[in-house]
Every structure is written in C-alpha cells, then in structure tokens.
C-alpha cells in the first residue's frame, strides 16, 4: 500500500508497525479468515478508515468480487472516492492495471462505480435508498455509521437494508467503522456489543503487566494557582503504580494484544480503540488532556470530547 501525500500526513509506503493495533483487524478482513463481520468503534487519529481503504485495495488486487462502500451521504461517498480511492489507484500499479482510466471510453470507471477483473465496486450514501438496493454484494464497508440517517426514503433503517445485500454470498464480509455518538442510539456501540468486545491491552514498561489505555489512567500536575499542567501528563500503571511517559508508547503498542471482553463470537470480532492509542506524532496524551480540560466548559464540548 502506498499512502498519497494529498490524503495522508505520512505519505509513502504503508507500515503496519506504525499502527500495530490494526493488524488483527486487517487479518480478519482477509479471505482466509472465517470472520464474517468486523466492527471498529474508534476515536480520532487512529488510522481506522485507512485500514478500510487497505481492504478495498486488497479486494481489487487479491480477492476480486463485488463490493460496496457506504458513506453517510452520496456527496461524502463522492468525496471519499476522489480523495481516498482515486489516489490509491493512481499510486499503485497493481490497482492501476486492473481499473481502466476514467477518461477511457467504456472504462466502467466513474466516481461512484469501479469495474475491475472479477468484480464491481459501488460507492454510495446511506441517504440514497436506490443506491443501497443497487446490487448484491460480497464485501460491504459501512463508514461513519453513527452519522447515517435512521430512515431512508421511508424504507427503513439503511444499515439493515444494505446488510441484506450480502445474504446472497456465503463468505461475505461486513466492516463497520465509526466514532460513537449518543450511547442510547449509537449504531456502532450496538454493533460493538453484538461482537466479542475486544480491547487492546498494552504492557507496562516497568512490571510488564497488561492493561487498557483510557483517560482515567492519565495523571498530570497543577500549578500553585490550580491550573492544569498538561505537559506533565503520564500514564499510571494500574498494577504497579509506576509512572509511564508517553515515549514508551511505541514499545507498548508493539507488544500489546487484543483481548475479547465479551462472549466468544467467532463470526463477529468487535474492537474498541480510543485516541489514547494514537501513535507518537499523531494525537498525544498532552493534546488529549488539553482537550479534556477545555471540554469541561460545557456539556456539548464534553460530549464531543467523549465521543
């Protein structure tokens, strides 16, 4: 995989070692895996959507078959196609050779439709009932699920409508990706609970016991006026109480493991990945604490931060 400088802050060759928590997720999406549904409930600056983009490239190059990518709206689908899919095809010969240039006559290559050997890709929005019914599909990527409408064209839940498109295929796969919204109505949270509820457990550099990362384990100092000193933030190990500076994160991520916390489910693996896991150089613990302190000014800001 090559990351294009127009769509990525770190362009060039893809390295899963940069975001090792995505390895198991992408393995689940392989044609060799028996998992039929993958759910990723995530924070920002995690790289989850790029894992989905990798999957689309993998389908075209290694496991051809019909696929659908559903964004919240048709306009967002067009934007994803132009800004994410098109650069990936342009930059990689293994994809470029399989999809004719859009300017070629009868190429089968438009913004919302991509023909390739052994398959056809449709990109559409959850706000288009006709788009959701367009064809049976083997592979289905549902992006930003919590931004989808709850009823489309008076036909019902678009998520249920599009899921029905996969029933023709015995080895179909569904990928659900989203940042969550209100817990009571969140589609991605409901999907997460339906799966086996995996959390990424990282080792402590002091005692090597494993734990999940969350805001409650981040501690920082205050000055004599009670002002928060976000640049003093460190993680406190829940096992030994040792203080862990963020520069240990690369080692911690590389030596972590996904552990299911819900009932076993071989068909549906669900993953929860907060922004605390964002690799060095992306969203830092200092930035997270700064945003948290700022979010306490209002309920609305706190909701955005929590999501």
């Amino acid at each position: 995989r090559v990351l294009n400088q127009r769509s990525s802050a770190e362009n060039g060759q893809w390295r899963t070692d940069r975001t090792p928590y995505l390895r198991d997720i992408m393995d689940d999406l392989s044609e060799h895996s028996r998992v039929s549904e993958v759910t990723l409930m995530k924070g920002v600056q995690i790289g989850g959507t790029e894992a989905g983009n990798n999957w689309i490239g993998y389908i075209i190059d290694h496991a051809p078959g019909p696929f659908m990518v559903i964004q919240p709206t048709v306009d967002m689908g067009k934007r994803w196609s132009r800004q994410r899919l098109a650069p990936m095809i342009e930059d990689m010969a293994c994809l470029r050779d399989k999809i004719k240039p859009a300017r070629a006559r009868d190429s089968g290559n438009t913004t919302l439709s991509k023909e390739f050997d052994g398959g056809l890709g449709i990109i559409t929005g959850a706000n288009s009932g006709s788009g959701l019914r367009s064809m049976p599909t083997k592979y289905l990527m549902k992006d930003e699920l919590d931004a989808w409408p709850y009823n489309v064209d008076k036909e019902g839940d678009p998520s249920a409508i599009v899921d029905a498109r996969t029933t023709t295929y015995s080895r179909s796969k569904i990928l659900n990706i989203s940042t969550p919204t209100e817990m009571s109505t969140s589609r991605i949270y409901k999907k997460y609970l339906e799966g086996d509820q995996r959390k990424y457990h990282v080792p402590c550099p002091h005692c090597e016991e494993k734990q999940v990362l969350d805001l409650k384990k981040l501690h920082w100092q205050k000055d004599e006026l009670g002002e928060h000193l976000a640049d003093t933030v460190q993680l406190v190990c829940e096992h030994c109480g040792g203080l862990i500076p963020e520069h240990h994160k690369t080692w911690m991520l590389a030596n972590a493991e996904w552990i299911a916390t819900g009932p076993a489910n071989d068909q549906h693996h669900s993953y929860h990945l907060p922004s605390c896991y964002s690799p060095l150089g992306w969203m830092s613990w200092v930035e997270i604490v700064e945003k948290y302190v700022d979010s306490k000014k209002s309920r609305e800001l706190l909701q955005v931060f929590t999501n």
Side-chain angles (χ1 to χ4, degrees):
R1 169 74 196 283
V2 175
L3 295 166
N4 188 282
Q5 62 182 358
R6 287 184 292 164
S7 58
S8 175
E10 295 185 8
N11 58 296
Q13 189 69 45
W14 171 276
R15 293 183 297 120
T16 302
D17 288 345
R18 187 78 171 105
T19 51
Y21 44 73
L22 296 177
R23 189 182 308 276
D24 283 17
I25 295 169
M26 292 190 292
D27 281 349
D28 284 346
L29 296 170
S30 161
E31 64 176 336
H32 307 293
S33 169
R34 303 294 298 185
V35 176
S36 60
E37 188 164 11
V38 177
T39 293
L40 175 56
M41 182 172 67
K42 66 180 185 67
V44 298
Q45 296 192 36
I46 284 295
T49 298
E50 286 300 338
N53 298 342
N54 287 349
W55 183 42
I56 298 304
Y58 169 83
I59 292 167
I60 296 170
D61 190 36
H62 283 285
F67 72 80
M68 292 183 72
V69 175
I70 317 295
Q71 297 289 336
T73 67
V74 174
D75 284 345
M76 291 178 70
K78 291 177 180 178
R79 192 180 313 145
W80 176 85
S81 180
R82 294 190 187 108
Q83 297 179 358
R84 300 289 185 170
L85 182 57
M88 183 168 68
I89 294 170
E90 292 169 10
D91 289 349
M92 300 178 63
C94 61
L95 302 181
R96 194 168 60 245
D97 293 344
K98 293 178 172 65
I99 297 178
K100 295 178 182 179
R103 61 183 177 273
R105 181 179 296 180
D106 300 325
S107 67
N109 180 356
T110 67
T111 302
L112 297 178
S113 177
K114 303 291 180 184
E115 289 185 16
F116 54 96
D117 291 343
L120 169 66
I122 296 294
I123 302 99
T124 189
N127 63 339
S128 170
S130 59
L132 300 180
R133 297 189 310 272
S134 59
M135 69 173 191
T137 189
K138 184 175 182 179
Y139 307 112
L140 175 59
M141 175 174 157
K142 303 190 295 187
D143 202 7
E144 287 304 336
L145 195 57
D146 272 20
W148 288 26
Y150 288 96
N151 193 309
V152 57
D153 298 341
K154 298 182 180 180
E155 297 180 22
D157 181 5
S159 183
I161 291 171
V162 77
D163 281 354
R165 301 283 87 196
T166 67
T167 56
T168 304
Y169 294 88
S170 59
R171 294 291 300 276
S172 62
K173 284 185 183 289
I174 298 173
L175 172 61
N176 308 294
I177 310 175
S178 190
T179 304
T181 51
E182 290 278 359
M183 183 180 290
S184 60
T185 57
S186 172
R187 280 197 176 95
I188 198 67
Y189 183 59
K190 181 174 182 291
K191 283 290 185 183
Y192 175 73
L193 295 180
E194 290 174 1
D196 58 3
Q197 302 168 42
R198 298 176 174 222
K199 295 181 182 292
Y200 204 53
H201 288 66
V202 299
C204 169
H206 306 302
C207 69
E208 299 192 359
E209 291 293 323
K210 291 182 176 176
Q211 61 203 296
V212 296
L213 296 183
D214 58 48
L215 182 67
K216 295 177 183 178
K217 296 189 180 77
L218 297 181
H219 288 247
W220 56 94
Q221 300 172 13
K222 296 182 180 180
D223 63 17
E224 60 275 8
L225 299 177
E227 295 293 325
H228 296 270
L229 301 174
D231 59 352
T232 64
V233 66
Q234 296 185 85
L235 183 77
V236 178
C237 175
E238 68 178 37
H239 300 287
C240 70
L243 294 176
I244 307 170
E246 190 167 14
H247 66 78
H248 289 288
K249 190 194 283 186
T250 300
W251 176 84
M252 294 165 71
L253 293 179
N255 291 278
E257 64 175 324
W258 285 104
I259 297 176
T261 63
N265 191 331
D266 293 337
Q267 292 298 306
H268 187 175
H269 289 178
S270 60
Y271 299 85
H272 178 209
L273 199 59
S275 296
C276 294
Y277 291 93
S278 184
L280 293 180
W282 293 10
M283 180 171 282
S284 68
W285 291 345
V286 169
E287 289 178 272
I288 290 172
V289 169
E290 288 175 340
K291 290 178 183 294
Y292 170 67
V293 172
D294 189 59
S295 74
K296 296 173 77 173
K297 296 176 182 177
S298 74
R299 183 188 182 280
E300 290 74 19
L301 289 174
L302 185 59
Q303 180 182 347
V304 171
F305 170 82
T306 302
N307 293 345

